[in-house]
Amino acid sequence: MGDVVNLNQFRKKQGRKKAEELARNNRVRFGRTSQQKKQEKDQIQRGKTTLDQKKLSPTHDEDETTPPKN
């Protein structure tokens, strides 16, 4: 006679294997290394700095250009 198999446990084990394989594939497909994350962070910071340097007037000077209210 064959071994008795609990079908619920078999289905759950099979579902876990599929989920684990999907997660592994997603990590490879969408994952980034820490070096890539750091490069992107530095690039964003450089872009913000460059943009701030190109502003015509700082934001606090805009308030000084409006006439005072009485």
Side-chain angles (χ1 to χ4, degrees):
M1 289 210 133
D3 293 332
V4 177
V5 177
N6 186 335
L7 293 179
N8 284 332
Q9 288 179 351
F10 179 76
R11 282 189 212 114
K12 286 181 182 182
K13 189 182 292 186
Q14 192 175 21
R16 282 189 217 111
K17 284 182 183 180
K18 285 183 182 179
E20 187 177 317
E21 182 179 339
L22 179 64
R24 188 178 327 114
N25 290 337
N26 283 342
R27 281 193 295 270
V28 170
R29 193 167 160 201
F30 299 109
R32 298 181 300 164
T33 64
S34 59
Q35 182 180 5
Q36 290 170 331
K37 291 176 188 178
K38 185 179 181 307
Q39 282 179 333
E40 184 177 339
K41 185 179 174 183
D42 291 343
Q43 185 179 8
I44 290 171
Q45 184 61 36
R46 266 195 313 272
K48 286 181 181 180
T49 303
T50 303
L51 183 63
D52 287 342
Q53 290 173 350
K54 292 181 180 182
K55 286 185 179 180
L56 296 177
S57 62
T59 55
H60 60 74
D61 286 344
E62 290 176 1
D63 294 334
E64 295 174 8
T65 59
T66 57
K69 293 181 181 180
N70 290 333

